[in-house]
Amino acid sequence: QQPVQSPQAVILREGEDAVINCSSSKALYSVHWYRQKHGEAPVFLMILLKGGEQKGHDKISASFNEKKQQSSLYLTASQLSYSGTYFCGTERTTDSWGKLQFGAGTQVVVTP
Amino acid sequence: NAGVTQTPKFQVLKTGQSMTLQCAQDMNHEYMSWYRQDPGMGLRLIHYSVGAGITDQGEVPNGYNVSRSTTEDFPLRLLSAAPSQTSVYFCASSYSWQGGETQYFGPGTRLLVL
């Protein structure tokens, strides 16, 4: 089942902060975050693994609440380059490793 | 390294025609996959492969075939194109099929079926 992302869209001024959430009704092994600019391929940002390990971008922060099966991506002191659509992808248990299920995306617009 | 490459970038087909979308990676990645992206629906997994000779179905496999004869290549075949297959198709690869691996996406193929 597809994870649910919120909000669907957010408009920020440069320097403002935002939080994007990704929730699943199933137990997760990992949550992956990608950013996609219009007409381009998704670009990897971060992976959060069950147990607390994180891999990825050192200027992006995120959290994974294993009890709630929810991940949050924090856009801090936003820059114009942060504009794009953010997707979370989830991996469930070991029988679905590699088979990411993606949320519908959160569109982020950062204005000057 | 070129990373993940896809051809063609754009294709128009008539209903009933068949075609193959090409995907190649030069990173010696074990795992490769195909996704389709439709407006408002994010990315959905079509087929995936955990190594040469091994493929399996994803979430939306109907109307598509895959094979993987080499580590580098993972073509996606549309057997008889339908307007519902109008979409953007992305190929992705990762070092292994084991959990928590970064997936690298190709630039995509935009397909229009008339």
Side-chain angles (χ1 to χ4, degrees), chain B:
Chain B
N1 285 352
V4 180
T5 57
Q6 291 183 237
T7 56
K9 289 185 180 178
F10 183 71
Q11 183 72 46
V12 179
L13 289 179
K14 293 182 179 177
T15 297
Q17 287 185 316
S18 62
M19 79 160 293
T20 299
L21 280 63
Q22 301 291 344
C23 173
Q25 51 89 11
D26 61 358
M27 299 175 280
N28 200 31
H29 281 175
E30 189 175 70
Y31 181 87
M32 296 184 75
S33 54
W34 277 101
Y35 293 89
R36 61 178 287 172
Q37 185 173 35
D38 302 302
M41 297 193 70
L43 294 140
R44 291 183 292 167
L45 183 65
I46 304 171
H47 285 286
Y48 67 96
S49 168
V50 298
I54 307 169
T55 64
D56 205 348
Q57 296 180 351
E59 204 179 334
V60 287
N62 292 341
Y64 307 95
N65 270 358
V66 291
S67 61
R68 190 158 175 211
S69 55
T70 66
T71 300
E72 295 78 21
D73 300 300
F74 190 43
L76 178 73
R77 295 183 195 83
L78 277 69
L79 309 172
S80 176
S84 60
Q85 293 179 305
T86 293
S87 189
V88 181
Y89 292 85
F90 287 101
C91 178
S93 74
S94 62
Y95 178 70
S96 84
W97 59 270
Q98 294 183 13
E101 290 288 339
T102 303
Q103 293 204 19
Y104 297 89
F105 284 83
T109 293
R110 280 155 181 76
L111 177 67
L112 175 62
V113 182
L114 301 174

Side-chain angles (χ1 to χ4, degrees), chain A residues 2 29-30 32 34 36 38-44 47 49 55 87 91 94 97-105, chain B residues 31 35 37 40-45 48 56-59 90 97-108 110:
Chain A
Q2 212 179 6
Y29 173 79
S30 71
H32 300 223
Y34 288 83
Q36 185 178 32
H38 184 70
E40 298 181 6
V43 173
F44 168 75
I47 294 174
L49 300 171
K55 308 180 199 179
F87 292 97
E91 277 178 309
T94 54
W97 273 351
K99 293 188 283 186
L100 291 177
Q101 289 189 304
F102 284 89
Chain B
Y31 181 87
Y35 293 89
Q37 185 173 35
M41 297 193 70
L43 294 140
R44 291 183 292 167
L45 183 65
Y48 67 96
D56 205 348
Q57 296 180 351
E59 204 179 334
F90 287 101
W97 59 270
Q98 294 183 13
E101 290 288 339
T102 303
Q103 293 204 19
Y104 297 89
F105 284 83
R110 280 155 181 76

